[in-house]
Amino acid sequence: MDLLIAQINTDLRSSDALRQSSALLQALQQCAAGRDVSALARTAATEILSAPSSAVCKRLALDLLRALPLPPDLLDPLLLTSLRSDLSFPDPDVAASSIASFPSLPSHLLPSLLSSAQADIAAALSSPAESLRLAAVTSLSSLLPRDDLALMCSTNPSLMAHATTWWGRLAELALDSADAVSAGAFEALARLFQELEGRRMSRLAGDKLVDGEGALAVRAQWAADAIDFIWSRRNMLIARTMVMPVESFRVTVYPLVHAAKMVASGVVNTLRRIAKPGDTTIADSVESSAEKLVGVSDIVSHLLPFLSSLDPPLVFEVGINMLALADVPGGKPEWASAAIIAILTLWDRQEFSSMRETIVRAVATNLHLLDLGMQVSLFKRLLQMVRNLRAESDRMHALACICRTALCVDLFAKESVRRGQKPVPGTDVISLFEDVRVKEDLNSVTSKNLFREELVASLVESCFQLSLPLPELKNSGTESRVIGALAYGTGYGALNWTEPALDVVEVCRPCVLWDCNGRTYAIDCYLKLLVRLCHIYDTRGGVKTIKAGASQDQILNETRLRNLQLQLIRDLREVHTPRISSRLIWAISEHFDLEGLDPLLADDPEDPLNIIISNMHKILFNTDSSATTVGMLSSRVFPAMA
């Protein structure tokens, strides 16, 4: 290898362009094969870039330097001067290779280089050569959104002015006649928006610089200017995307949708205030709501035909972005329905099989955007899709979204019936469990499927979330489309969440009989919800009467709870885990109406109190039971029975 490096060095030092180009090609081949040829970097920089050479050799040398880790001592003024001078090289391909090298340079060299080369960069962005325009767009789209450059712009007004000008030119190049240049400009705008949106996550990731207030203001100004340009030229941009190749169309979707979403939701005004804090001359957009709605509708009409594309990634990209538009003020459930139906068609596409978790997550997260009937029709199908997911974390997230939305739909439907509207069939929680496979899972004692435990836990946790009051909306201008919030806004009482919770504890009752190899989280969640409901309805005092001031709904709910307690008492005989038995005994005996038992059945083995006591004896005198289980039973049950 040393002999090869020496031979290449000798050829590079020759003045023969053919030998130099052959040596550079050989060096690139060795580099592509994974061999270390960094010893050639200095020779290539001094003998090719810093000396008069042919266009082919300069391009190959620049390609080689981009592929190699450059030592700090090589980044001297001589190399930077060479890169700077090559920007004005007569051959546009050499200038393109030179500007493409900028993102690989260290941060401390960028301000001086960009400031001195700003005229050449502007000329490259306006060059008649497509290759040079594309190289300039690609280089700037990689360089400008970087954290280090945003931080430098926040403290360097001159660099900030140049960068703002370049962003404006990149936005204009989205209308370029060359498809590759136009697609590159769209990608640059998308990266700008994504970097601004991802600032919260970058602080957690640890691999990026932490933004200061100045860097955030810099990005906010760039994003606001880009959004204004896209929104004002949206019809021209839409027309430009329609003549692009299908394989390039996907990169144009996100910038258009993001700009429309920012304008329709009013977030662009927030960006302007962040960009210039304390500036009282900044006014909100004077565009009417009708103008915003028409603009968003135009973009939806533009994207709608591509939901039936033969390219699965394009269908998913368009569908996800249409869901984002359906969530803005004035968004329509029909937009979300079309997008979700298109996304669900990807489930059986073989080329998209590895993205099933992403499909379920996208659909479950946006269920609240659909109308009531569409949500109900999707519940059962989504449960079966979630069952087939591989990763438990993805299943839990999707189940949480499904269960939360199902409970909200149940609440909303019940309130609609109270107001005299026609009931919508299938909106109750029990309809989730009509599927035969779900019923078999719930009633099987020894099933090893984790799905049923995740389902019960998600349902119970969703019930507890509904029991919490909704936080007050600080920004009244943004429209909330979550059905649960709409339901609470229609005058829901403090205890109406308990009605779907009663459905949950009824249909999940078989979980106390499960044998889950020591896992008891789902059962513990279930018993916690049961105790909460028994405490709320005061089942220890028996079923109230109308004379006592109870409403018909309260009497019905307390009767359902009492019947459920009696069923759980009979289930005690089939519970084989001492810990679950003791918890179940405590949950029932603490809140059971002992005064309501028939004294004539005191000697009947089917009497609920006798069943409870016999199971207590079974645990207390079972040598296999742990001391913790016996102690928990003694401390909790006996005081309750006294």
Side-chain angles (χ1 to χ4, degrees):
M1 189 66 187
D2 293 338
L3 292 176
L4 179 62
I5 296 293
Q7 180 62 43
I8 294 176
N9 268 322
T10 302
D11 291 340
L12 289 177
R13 291 189 179 97
S14 68
S15 57
D16 188 349
L18 182 59
R19 289 180 61 187
Q20 289 177 333
S21 60
S22 299
L24 289 169
L25 284 173
Q26 196 172 11
L28 285 169
Q29 289 175 349
Q30 297 297 322
C31 186
R35 297 182 177 89
D36 182 15
V37 292
S38 56
L40 300 173
R42 177 166 294 280
T43 306
T46 56
E47 299 295 335
I48 305 296
L49 295 182
S50 301
S53 303
S54 65
V56 174
C57 290
K58 282 187 175 290
R59 289 175 57 192
L60 292 175
L62 287 167
D63 291 340
L64 178 62
L65 290 180
R66 282 203 304 273
L68 295 177
L70 297 180
D73 60 336
L74 185 59
L75 297 170
D76 51 18
L78 183 62
L79 177 59
L80 294 180
T81 303
S82 300
L83 291 176
R84 169 73 180 78
S85 61
D86 285 341
L87 286 175
S88 55
F89 198 84
D91 190 334
D93 290 335
V94 175
S97 297
S98 177
I99 199 171
S101 304
F102 284 9
S104 61
L105 296 176
S107 301
H108 68 279
L109 298 178
L110 290 176
S112 59
L113 178 62
L114 293 178
S115 297
S116 62
Q118 57 90 16
D120 294 310
I121 294 175
L125 290 171
S126 304
S127 171
E130 177 184 339
S131 60
L132 183 52
R133 295 200 310 276
L134 178 59
V137 168
T138 304
S139 179
L140 291 177
S141 67
S142 176
L143 187 63
L144 291 179
R146 278 172 28 178
D147 289 342
D148 54 351
L149 194 71
L151 286 170
M152 286 185 286
C153 287
S154 64
T155 57
N156 189 332
S158 176
L159 183 61
M160 174 63 182
H162 296 324
T164 303
T165 302
W166 294 332
W167 271 120
R169 188 72 186 103
L170 286 175
E172 294 173 356
L173 285 174
L175 296 169
D176 195 88
S177 58
D179 292 333
V181 176
S182 177
F186 273 108
E187 283 185 300
L189 296 173
R191 185 169 180 187
L192 170 63
F193 297 149
Q194 289 165 354
E195 288 288 334
L196 183 62
E197 290 286 310
R199 290 304 90 201
R200 185 176 302 172
M201 289 303 298
S202 71
R203 291 188 174 94
L204 302 176
D207 58 347
K208 294 184 178 181
L209 298 174
V210 177
D211 277 348
E213 293 296 328
L216 180 61
V218 165
R219 277 205 175 90
Q221 180 176 337
W222 292 341
D225 292 345
I227 290 169
D228 290 339
F229 177 85
I230 295 174
W231 182 253
S232 62
R233 306 286 183 89
R234 60 183 180 275
N235 292 328
M236 297 176 64
L237 290 170
I238 287 174
R240 178 65 186 90
T241 62
M242 294 299 291
V243 296
M244 295 181 71
V246 176
E247 57 270 15
S248 300
F249 179 83
R250 187 157 62 98
V251 301
T252 69
V253 176
Y254 178 75
L256 287 171
V257 170
H258 184 82
K261 183 178 179 180
M262 294 296 102
V263 172
S265 61
V267 178
V268 66
N269 298 320
T270 304
L271 292 178
R272 294 190 185 103
R273 294 188 183 94
I274 294 175
K276 297 180 180 179
D279 189 349
T280 58
T281 61
I282 299 176
D284 289 345
S285 175
V286 296
E287 274 188 304
S288 64
S289 298
E291 174 66 21
K292 294 177 182 178
L293 182 58
V294 169
V296 174
S297 299
D298 288 343
I299 294 178
V300 171
S301 301
H302 162 61
L303 296 177
L304 197 58
F306 295 93
L307 289 176
S308 56
S309 171
L310 296 178
D311 183 20
L314 177 58
V315 173
F316 188 81
E317 183 74 18
V318 172
I320 286 293
N321 282 278
M322 281 189 60
L323 288 173
L325 290 179
D327 199 22
V328 302
K332 299 179 181 178
E334 295 81 16
W335 302 346
S337 302
I340 284 182
I341 290 172
I343 291 174
L344 288 177
T345 59
L346 302 176
W347 183 264
D348 295 321
R349 299 276 286 267
Q350 184 176 1
E351 60 269 38
F352 214 74
S353 59
S354 61
M355 297 291 288
R356 286 186 168 181
E357 289 84 358
T358 308
I359 293 174
V360 172
R361 184 181 290 264
V363 175
T365 305
N366 293 281
L367 268 177
H368 63 277
L369 300 176
L370 302 172
D371 56 31
L372 211 60
M374 184 73 172
Q375 292 186 48
V376 171
S377 65
L378 279 177
F379 284 151
K380 296 176 186 176
R381 180 177 180 184
L382 277 174
L383 279 179
Q384 296 308 318
M385 294 171 68
V386 171
R387 177 197 294 271
N388 294 326
L389 293 183
R390 296 166 295 179
E392 287 78 4
S393 59
D394 290 315
R395 283 208 305 264
M396 286 295 288
H397 178 273
L399 278 173
C401 296
I402 294 169
C403 294
R404 181 186 65 243
T405 310
L407 295 176
C408 290
V409 167
D410 193 19
L411 281 171
F412 190 72
K414 284 182 170 63
E415 177 66 15
S416 300
V417 172
R418 287 191 184 97
R419 296 186 174 203
Q421 299 180 15
K422 185 178 179 181
V424 179
T427 54
D428 56 315
V429 178
I430 299 176
S431 64
L432 277 174
F433 300 88
E434 291 179 351
D435 185 77
V436 177
R437 294 181 63 185
V438 175
K439 284 185 176 180
E440 289 177 354
D441 263 355
L442 287 176
N443 289 282
S444 173
V445 176
T446 58
S447 173
K448 305 302 180 185
N449 191 358
L450 282 173
F451 171 76
R452 61 178 187 169
E453 300 174 51
E454 296 166 354
L455 179 59
V456 170
S458 299
L459 276 169
V460 172
E461 293 294 343
S462 299
C463 289
F464 283 123
Q465 286 181 8
L466 282 181
S467 69
L468 300 174
L470 286 176
E472 296 182 3
L473 293 178
K474 296 182 180 179
N475 299 323
S476 57
T478 57
E479 179 183 348
S480 174
R481 297 185 56 83
V482 181
I483 285 190
L486 293 175
Y488 275 101
T490 55
Y492 253 73
L495 296 182
N496 280 332
W497 71 273
T498 59
E499 295 187 8
L502 276 172
D503 291 337
V504 170
V505 294
E506 285 180 347
V507 297
C508 297
R509 181 179 60 85
C511 75
V512 298
L513 307 177
W514 291 348
D515 180 12
C516 303
N517 295 330
R519 297 186 305 270
T520 61
Y521 178 75
I523 305 173
D524 289 340
C525 289
Y526 174 81
L527 293 177
K528 183 179 178 182
L529 179 60
L530 175 67
V531 169
R532 178 81 174 274
L533 292 176
C534 290
H535 175 74
I536 288 174
Y537 285 104
D538 190 20
T539 54
R540 193 173 184 179
V543 179
K544 316 301 184 296
T545 61
I546 295 179
K547 291 183 179 180
S551 64
Q552 291 289 349
D553 288 342
Q554 183 180 352
I555 294 173
L556 176 61
N557 292 337
E558 290 182 356
T559 303
R560 290 172 62 187
L561 259 180
R562 176 179 171 82
N563 293 336
L564 178 65
Q565 286 177 327
L566 293 174
Q567 290 174 338
L568 287 170
I569 289 172
R570 288 191 288 269
D571 289 340
L572 271 171
R573 297 166 174 169
E574 302 178 44
V575 178
H576 303 291
T577 307
R579 181 180 182 278
I580 299 302
S581 296
S582 62
R583 283 218 60 193
L584 183 56
I585 290 172
W586 168 75
I588 297 173
S589 60
E590 180 78 7
H591 301 279
F592 193 68
D593 179 21
L594 297 176
E595 300 296 331
L597 295 177
D598 190 348
L600 299 178
L601 299 178
D603 297 330
D604 188 350
E606 296 297 322
D607 180 64
L609 185 56
N610 288 332
I611 297 176
I612 292 175
I613 292 175
S614 64
N615 280 275
M616 289 168 55
H617 288 176
K618 185 189 301 183
I619 295 174
L620 291 172
F621 299 105
N622 184 359
T623 57
D624 294 334
S625 298
S626 66
T628 304
T629 301
V630 175
M632 178 178 62
L633 185 64
S634 302
S635 61
R636 288 182 171 177
V637 175
F638 286 132
M641 302 287 291

